[in-house]
Amino acid sequence: MKRVWLLLYSFVFISFTANATQITLDKHFKHLVNIPFEYSLQPFTAEQAKLTSNQQWQQLSEQSLNLGLTNQAVWLRLQLVNAENSELPILLSIDNPLLDKVAVYHYFKQNRLLFKEIGDVLPLNNRQINTESLLVKLTLPPASQSTLLLRVESLDGVRVPLSLWQHDEYLKDKSKFNLMYGLLVGFILSLAVTCLVMFGFSRKRYFALSGSILITLWLLLIYLYGFGYRYFHPSLPSLQQLAVPSMLILTTCLFKLLFEQLRLPTKTALQPLHKWSNWLLFISLFFIWLLPTNIMLYYSLIAPVLIMLLHITALGIDIKQQRTQPLSALLCSMLMFLTAQIYLIIVVFDIYDFNTRGLPFVYVSFLICSLSLSFATIKHFLIERDAQVTDQQCKIAQSEAQDALLQERLALQEQARLDLEANIEERTFELQVTLRELEDKNRALEQINMEDPLTQIKNRRYFDKKLVMDLRRSRREQTPLSVVMLDIDHFKSINDTYGHLIGDQTIRAVADIIKSHLKRPLDEVARYGGEEFVILLPNTILGGAVEIAEKIRQAIMDATITVANTQIKFTISAGVYSAIAEDIHNPGLFTDCADKALYHAKQSGRNRVVSFPILD
């Protein structure tokens, strides 16, 4: 019955919504991207926009609205139909965090259900959800159709991609995006910190410039996706209008300074123009805030592109004279940044509709730009260091030659002393050879001492050293370390029944089966003592260690040892412990916990794998 009333209501409601784009939603709705809507550039009020006829609206479907730079406010209209008999909460996402102001009106039966103004010129606390995205929470009445009107104002480009989301689905999608975005900005920031640390150690100016460029790229990503507005100055939205233009200009200028540090010491006809144009661009950074917003946007997008083209031309001339890896990598970095600038111009000025959300091309361009930039500076540092080493070696060689001449002049006067020194050097050399041979033999003996003679696997002594090394790696890299203790069940009965020779063959068979299940080079197995073995599994979580132990247990249970026409079957028990090392001075913690788990496995009936902590 309610659906019949919904149809009647729709017929009445059409008197002021005309043929506005309808979107039908139900409880199975998850999300809609690039939703169709109507738009108008007429100077409506909210009431006029609600009641106006279809002739003054233009249809837009299957893409986002991009009107480029315009001083006009644009109205968007769409009709939401709730096909359920209960209220339906949804999220409206305006997937462009750089819009100045968006007024959202939600009408039902000529009653306004919601009015909200959001945008990056308004304080963050104006938003229903304190997030960098422009989100509006809507509640659709049961079995109804309602009209949604949006009034968008943005002097720096009207690009309005809309999407509708179910709350949980939006959180899932946002979590995935935040993960990828966090990895990118975290990687770029780590590169910047690395360059600045290298500057602190080496005092090379190009490291400081490279780190500064990476920080500006990081800030550009932060502001392009709205995070700067959210975290840096939520109460000062006016800074949002200056951040992106300033970063574009500053990054362009810093590329020139870095280029001067990495280039060859040659002069070209383009150098004076290159130098002064870059200085003028940098000085303009302090005055662009005096310009009107639209003029400032034109300038901050076009001027850096022209200067960047000049940078690339000058760099190309240098590479033509003498190609080097640092300059080639710097050229790649400049080209990727220039490509990102041109992409932003195309999007903002609506030259071509890429029909994309989230500016993914900028995302990828900045990543390649950062990698190339870091490679350029590090490679230049290595080339400089190699040149310094070569120069030092030449100086040492010259000094040695002068010493040789001096020794020849004094040879007649100090022949006896030289003979004595020669004899001493000969004896010293013989002693060094002897010591080297002794060291080699000691090393071979130590290698023998690290292996168990029966099973040909590592022994307890080696395991103790390896455990300390893996603990340090685990704490340093914050990766889990797993220890598996294994023991042959009823081994005394095997010795008593079949003899010690067969018992030794049983131990060797267990060692061979364990080795066959360890695939990674860092995994290690050692004979811990008697019939007990221990496995070290670096960078392995508890579940993976338990799975390996279980496979070994199953393989041993299925194996049969045949000695003198006698078939022997046996089982093992295993205890597993896994954790990220915190105290490297207490290596016994891992073996003790694994041993407790092994003891519990023995007490619980043997032939099983138990992990620590033990869950009863």
Side-chain angles (χ1 to χ4, degrees):
M1 187 63 183
K2 288 186 176 181
R3 295 184 181 275
V4 175
W5 281 107
L6 175 60
L7 293 174
L8 293 175
Y9 167 71
S10 301
F11 180 76
V12 175
F13 193 72
I14 200 171
S15 61
F16 64 92
T17 59
N19 293 321
T21 304
Q22 290 188 1
I23 301 173
T24 302
L25 307 174
D26 56 21
K27 63 182 180 181
H28 302 294
F29 153 76
K30 291 186 176 180
H31 71 276
L32 292 174
V33 181
N34 287 332
I35 59 177
F37 56 85
E38 297 173 322
Y39 72 96
S40 175
L41 296 175
Q42 298 296 324
F44 296 143
T45 63
E47 290 298 322
Q48 290 172 340
K50 180 178 66 172
L51 300 173
T52 189
S53 62
N54 273 350
Q55 287 75 14
Q56 300 187 39
W57 293 89
Q58 301 181 52
Q59 182 72 29
L60 186 76
S61 61
E62 302 303 327
Q63 60 181 342
S64 60
L65 176 66
N66 190 348
L67 300 178
L69 295 179
T70 176
N71 294 326
Q72 291 181 277
V74 58
W75 282 93
L76 281 64
R77 183 177 72 170
L78 60 154
Q79 186 173 321
L80 304 177
V81 177
N82 181 7
E84 298 295 329
N85 294 325
S86 59
E87 290 186 344
L88 183 63
I90 61 172
L91 282 177
L92 171 67
S93 175
I94 305 159
D95 302 321
N96 181 5
L98 302 181
L99 292 174
D100 293 347
K101 185 186 295 186
V102 180
V104 181
Y105 302 85
H106 188 196
Y107 290 99
F108 173 63
K109 293 183 178 180
Q110 311 234 11
N111 295 321
R112 192 171 71 187
L113 301 180
L114 173 73
F115 168 69
K116 198 67 184 175
E117 281 189 321
I118 54 177
D120 68 355
V121 299
L122 300 173
L124 187 65
N125 55 19
N126 272 35
R127 304 184 182 184
Q128 292 173 301
I129 304 174
N130 285 339
T131 179
E132 68 283 352
S133 304
L134 298 180
L135 295 176
V136 179
K137 293 193 290 187
L138 302 174
T139 301
L140 304 184
S144 66
Q145 59 180 7
S146 54
T147 299
L148 189 65
L149 297 174
L150 286 78
R151 186 178 188 273
V152 181
E153 299 178 62
S154 188
L155 295 178
D156 50 359
V158 176
R159 187 174 65 89
V160 192
L162 298 180
S163 57
L164 292 173
W165 297 83
Q166 189 265 346
H167 290 79
D168 293 340
E169 195 69 20
Y170 179 81
L171 290 177
K172 293 178 185 177
D173 184 79
K174 189 64 174 177
S175 298
K176 294 178 183 178
F177 170 79
N178 285 345
L179 175 62
M180 297 300 297
Y181 178 81
L183 289 174
L184 173 67
V185 298
F187 180 70
I188 293 177
L189 184 59
S190 65
L191 290 179
V193 172
T194 301
C195 288
L196 294 177
V197 171
M198 291 293 292
F199 169 72
F201 283 107
S202 65
R203 294 299 173 184
K204 299 293 185 181
R205 188 182 174 192
Y206 48 79
F207 276 122
L209 291 171
S210 179
S212 300
I213 294 174
L214 289 170
I215 288 176
T216 57
L217 292 176
W218 176 74
L219 287 173
L220 269 171
L221 282 177
I222 291 293
Y223 277 99
L224 283 173
Y225 287 88
F227 289 95
Y229 167 72
R230 176 183 178 185
Y231 291 108
F232 296 161
H233 45 78
S235 300
L236 294 173
S238 57
L239 294 181
Q240 177 79 358
Q241 308 298 317
L242 296 175
V244 174
S246 300
M247 290 302 107
L248 287 172
I249 293 175
L250 182 59
T251 307
T252 303
C253 295
L254 289 173
F255 265 115
K256 165 65 168 62
L257 300 179
L258 179 61
F259 167 54
E260 290 297 332
Q261 291 291 311
L262 303 184
R263 72 185 297 271
L264 302 172
T266 56
K267 291 185 177 180
T268 62
L270 193 61
Q271 193 169 351
L273 175 63
H274 189 198
K275 175 182 178 181
W276 288 108
S277 61
N278 194 71
W279 274 112
L280 289 174
L281 181 65
F282 179 75
I283 293 171
S284 69
L285 183 63
F286 300 95
F287 299 99
I288 59 172
W289 58 274
L290 298 173
L291 300 173
T293 302
N294 55 347
I295 297 178
M296 178 186 69
L297 188 64
Y298 273 104
Y299 177 80
S300 60
L301 286 175
I302 296 175
V305 169
L306 297 177
I307 300 301
M308 184 57 69
L309 285 172
L310 193 59
H311 294 347
I312 293 172
T313 303
L315 179 56
I317 294 174
D318 273 26
I319 292 177
K320 187 176 181 181
Q321 293 178 353
Q322 184 175 351
R323 181 185 295 273
T324 64
Q325 286 185 331
L327 289 181
S328 299
L330 181 62
L331 177 62
C332 176
S333 180
M334 286 184 174
L335 287 172
M336 293 312 300
F337 183 69
L338 174 66
T339 305
Q341 289 176 302
I342 294 174
Y343 178 82
L344 288 175
I345 290 176
I346 294 173
V347 171
V348 172
F349 294 161
D350 191 25
I351 298 174
Y352 178 78
D353 184 11
F354 288 104
N355 193 20
T356 59
R357 293 167 177 267
L359 303 177
F361 188 83
V362 176
Y363 193 106
V364 176
S365 298
F366 280 13
L367 176 61
I368 300 175
C369 178
S370 302
L371 289 171
S372 301
L373 191 64
S374 301
F375 175 81
T377 50
I378 293 174
K379 189 64 178 179
H380 186 75
F381 173 74
L382 294 177
I383 291 173
E384 277 191 346
R385 187 197 62 181
D386 292 343
Q388 290 174 354
V389 171
T390 303
D391 185 58
Q392 290 175 354
Q393 290 175 345
C394 290
K395 290 180 179 179
I396 292 172
Q398 291 176 358
S399 177
E400 290 176 349
Q402 292 175 358
D403 290 343
L405 290 174
L406 180 61
Q407 292 296 329
E408 289 179 2
R409 292 175 184 175
L410 299 176
L412 294 175
Q413 299 177 5
E414 300 182 357
Q415 187 64 45
R417 184 177 64 83
L418 291 176
D419 290 341
L420 179 60
E421 289 180 354
N423 289 333
I424 294 173
E425 289 178 356
E426 182 178 355
R427 297 295 183 271
T428 302
F429 176 75
E430 292 175 355
L431 178 59
Q432 290 175 345
V433 171
T434 303
L435 290 174
R436 189 175 296 110
E437 292 176 351
L438 180 59
E439 183 180 350
D440 292 340
K441 291 180 179 180
N442 286 336
R443 190 178 296 110
L445 180 60
E446 183 178 1
Q447 181 66 26
I448 293 173
N449 288 337
M450 288 191 301
E451 288 186 355
D452 178 56
L454 175 62
T455 61
Q456 303 301 312
I457 63 175
K458 303 300 182 182
N459 58 18
R460 172 73 176 272
R461 180 183 178 187
Y462 173 83
F463 167 76
D464 292 338
K465 293 182 180 180
K466 185 70 165 55
L467 176 60
V468 174
M469 294 170 58
D470 287 341
L471 286 174
R472 290 175 178 170
R473 182 185 295 110
S474 173
R475 188 181 71 170
R476 181 175 64 251
E477 299 177 358
Q478 287 297 291
T479 55
L481 173 64
S482 297
V483 174
V484 183
M485 300 285 289
L486 306 100
D487 187 82
I488 302 175
D489 296 331
H490 304 296
F491 182 72
K492 186 175 182 303
S493 298
I494 296 175
N495 274 340
D496 294 343
T497 304
Y498 302 102
H500 289 282
L501 291 178
I502 294 180
D504 290 346
Q505 291 188 6
T506 303
I507 292 175
R508 281 197 295 268
V510 171
D512 293 339
I513 291 174
I514 294 175
K515 284 193 296 183
S516 68
H517 282 78
L518 301 182
K519 306 300 183 182
R520 301 184 305 177
L522 293 179
D523 296 343
E524 202 70 71
V525 59
R527 186 179 179 189
Y528 200 68
E531 70 277 13
E532 195 170 6
F533 299 85
V534 62
I535 303 174
L536 270 176
L537 299 172
N539 196 14
T540 303
I541 61 175
L542 180 61
V546 170
E547 182 180 351
I548 292 175
E550 186 62 35
K551 289 181 178 179
I552 294 173
R553 184 197 67 79
Q554 186 66 40
I556 291 174
M557 185 178 70
D558 296 338
T560 301
I561 297 177
T562 302
V563 179
N565 298 325
T566 302
Q567 291 187 341
I568 303 172
K569 294 187 70 66
F570 56 92
T571 61
I572 65 163
S573 299
V576 183
Y577 178 68
S578 179
I580 297 175
E582 296 181 356
D583 183 8
I584 63 171
H585 301 293
N586 186 19
L589 173 65
F590 278 72
T591 54
D592 290 346
C593 293
D595 193 56
K596 289 177 182 178
L598 173 60
Y599 177 78
H600 191 273
K602 291 283 191 180
Q603 294 297 315
S604 302
R606 295 181 172 84
N607 191 22
R608 64 190 61 205
V609 176
V610 175
S611 62
F612 188 90
I614 300 167
L615 301 177
D616 294 331

